[in-house]
Amino acid sequence: LKLTFHHLIPKDKHPTYLGKRLPNGIEGEPTRYFLNSYGLMICRQCHNTVHNIASNEVLAAQYNTLQKLLAHPVIQRWVDFAKKRRSSSGKAK
């Protein structure tokens, strides 16, 4: 299963936060290095689901941590569904 890097503050929103105050609940410095590395590895289907729930502006401001993403009802339903799916090897995840 190929994983992709999801920027918890989407890249097109980096200029909004670079050298300025980060959204509430994020610990770190508003540097290019921090913004480029602040994220998580998720599968492509999960990544698509995340970007379908809200605009990049809303993702940056409101869904900028794993805990906040997992609290979204659409993400919760997707995770429940994905847990039941089988990997390409035929083994249950």
Side-chain angles (χ1 to χ4, degrees), residues 36-56:
N36 282 327
S37 61
Y38 181 67
L40 43 100
M41 297 300 291
I42 56 178
C43 73
R44 172 47 50 197
Q45 295 91 341
C46 292
H47 205 154
N48 291 345
T49 302
V50 167
H51 282 281
N52 285 332
I53 66 168
S55 68
N56 282 348

Side-chain angles (χ1 to χ4, degrees), residues 6-46:
H6 171 67
H7 292 88
L8 287 164
I9 297 177
K11 287 175 72 173
D12 69 340
K13 295 298 158 197
H14 287 186
T16 302
Y17 298 102
L18 194 59
K20 302 171 188 160
R21 186 178 195 157
L22 293 172
N24 289 335
I26 297 179
E27 301 286 327
E29 294 294 319
T31 62
R32 191 171 306 281
Y33 175 79
F34 176 79
L35 291 170
N36 282 327
S37 61
Y38 181 67
L40 43 100
M41 297 300 291
I42 56 178
C43 73
R44 172 47 50 197
Q45 295 91 341
C46 292

